[in-house]
Amino acid sequence: MSDAGQYGVPDVDALLLALNLYGLCTPLGARVRLQLSLITSPEVRTVVVAAGRSDPPFTLSDDGWLYAAGVPIGRAVRTDADDAVSGYLRCWKHGTWWAATINPAGRSRCTGCAFCPTSLEPPADPVLTLERELHALLDGLELQLPPGGTLRSLHEVAVSTACYRTENAALEAMVMLRKVLRSRRINARIVLLSSVLRSREAFRFLAEHVAPFGLFLTAECVSRRDFLLKNTKADLLPEAMPALLAEAGAGLDTSFTYIAGLDTTVQLEKFMTVMLPQVTLFPSVQIFQPHKRIMDRLLSPEAECLGYYYNARRVVENIMTDLGSPLTPELWRCYRSLWATEYAGHALTGPTR
């Protein structure tokens, strides 16, 4: 992390970036969700990191203290195994939950992408295909609300799944979800993380029947797509993605997910240059997390050092600045983000979980 200052990366951001990349030594499971408070930045923030590796510089003690090379740097006020669950609340803002994530299509059953950590999890989350099953899921989320809370305070319900294999299947699921939300007087925007929605007709249908709606296109990477991605992602060519988002943007919110560490810097910059002009929501640019030693081989050789990620931050910031875009990272939206406390030299504010 010694060269972070050369890139204008604050120490806290550099530390959390390293934690994401190198993982954590703990017996708690393959992935761990931490509510983490650092000594130098006491605000509680959520991070989800690879765990159980024997070689990382970060360790977590039984009483929750986080150490880097034996030096205490913070404490986890809550620790959970990051299992594939059907849904959870996120984005705690002004004393209410503003967002929720649901996984109705059996996320843990998807094992198609080489880098995906869900392949390490047992298939425990159910597939929810009926209205009553979605109602039951929302009933469970309501039980987690503070006294007097209501799901009608939600501004967004994100469907984070990779298991809709066709465009029609995704459309039918989104229509059913909107019907269930309306019946409960929940007017939240639905956001879908997917790469199967591709046609003008689908975007028009969503704008008419499901909106407010946002598409986070699961782009993930540019290179080695046939090797790294399952077929329903790999067959979407990167050069087709900007036009697809532009088409969707006629009536929907648009963005994309991307995993920093799989492409070269040149590939990353070229892709960001054509994709960022098409977004209305800041993209989810995630740090690649090798959960097992064999997954280290998936990294682009450049991405084995932290300087690659510091530069990736700068690339995105420079492009967005040149575009005059007011968008900034939403800290609660991405738990593996390149940004934690600053973006383009300005302090990031807003919910961290």
Side-chain angles (χ1 to χ4, degrees), residues 204-226:
R204 288 178 175 174
F205 180 87
L206 289 166
E208 182 177 352
H209 298 285
V210 183
F213 185 87
L215 172 64
F216 266 76
L217 182 68
T218 48
E220 317 299 33
C221 61
V222 175
S223 62
R224 302 173 292 162
R225 288 178 63 82
D226 288 344

Side-chain angles (χ1 to χ4, degrees), residues 3 14 40 54 56 96 119 123 137 145 150 156 160 191 196 201 210 220 222 231 236 244 273 280 294 300 308 311 319:
D3 58 347
T40 56
S54 59
T96 60
S119 63
L137 170 58
L145 295 171
T150 172
E156 179 175 300
S160 177
V191 167
V196 300
E201 293 75 20
V210 183
E220 317 299 33
V222 175
N231 291 340
L236 178 60
L244 188 154
T273 298
T280 63
I294 194 171
S300 170
Y308 169 95
N311 191 47
I319 294 171

Side-chain angles (χ1 to χ4, degrees), residues 101-179:
T101 292
I102 63 173
N103 299 299
R107 181 173 68 109
S108 68
R109 289 164 175 76
C110 182
T111 58
C113 296
F115 51 78
C116 186
T118 59
S119 63
L120 306 176
E121 302 171 358
D125 53 324
V127 179
L128 309 179
T129 58
L130 303 175
E131 289 181 29
R132 60 178 172 81
E133 293 171 334
L134 283 178
H135 277 293
L137 170 58
L138 295 174
D139 288 342
L141 293 180
E142 280 189 333
L143 295 176
Q144 302 174 36
L145 295 171
T150 172
L151 293 181
R152 290 194 293 276
S153 69
L154 292 177
H155 285 58
E156 179 175 300
V157 175
V159 182
S160 177
T161 180
C163 298
Y164 295 124
R165 298 189 178 277
T166 67
E167 187 174 76
N168 282 339
L171 291 175
E172 291 172 3
M174 296 303 98
V175 169
M176 184 175 69
L177 176 57
R178 177 57 73 196
K179 181 180 179 181

Side-chain angles (χ1 to χ4, degrees), residues 16 38 42 49 78 130 141 151 163 171 193 206 254 256 265 269 298 304 328 343:
L16 291 174
L38 300 176
V49 296
R78 177 169 176 172
L130 303 175
L141 293 180
L151 293 181
C163 298
L171 291 175
L193 280 68
L206 289 166
T254 55
F256 63 95
T265 298
E269 184 168 10
L298 303 180
E304 294 177 1
T328 58
Y343 171 80

